[in-house]
Amino acid sequence: FSDKDTHKIQFPGVDEKMALQQVVVGGFHNFAIFSSKSTKKQVVFCFGYNYFGQLGIGNKKDQLVPVPFTFDEPIKQICCGR
C-alpha cells in the first residue's frame, strides 16, 4: 500500500496468505483489517494521529507505522470518527 506521496506502508506479518478485509479512514487516523485466507484469523492495524488515544492502543503516541492487534471475537466492521 502507498500513501499519496507513494511511500510504502508496511503491515508487519501480512503476506500473500492474508486478505485485506476492510480499510477505514478517519480524519487523521486509519485502520485496516486483514484476515487469513485459510483460518479466517483477523489482525487489525491502526496508525496515524493518536493525541486523544483514538487508536485504542493504550497510549496517546502518534503511530507512523501500523500497529497490529487482535480480538478474541470475529470483527465485522470498524468505524472511525473525524
Side-chain angles (χ1 to χ4, degrees), residues 14-63:
V14 172
D15 58 22
E16 66 278 350
K17 296 176 185 172
M18 302 288 285
L20 179 61
Q21 183 177 335
Q22 182 182 13
V23 174
V24 181
V25 179
F28 297 96
H29 57 292
N30 311 281
F31 289 86
I33 303 173
F34 288 86
S35 60
S36 167
K37 293 177 182 177
S38 60
T39 66
K40 303 298 181 197
K41 178 181 177 186
Q42 297 170 304
V43 179
V44 175
F45 290 88
C46 61
F47 54 104
Y49 186 67
N50 193 34
Y51 183 78
F52 299 105
Q54 61 267 49
L55 297 179
I57 56 174
N59 65 49
K60 294 183 179 179
K61 182 179 175 186
D62 295 345
Q63 300 296 319

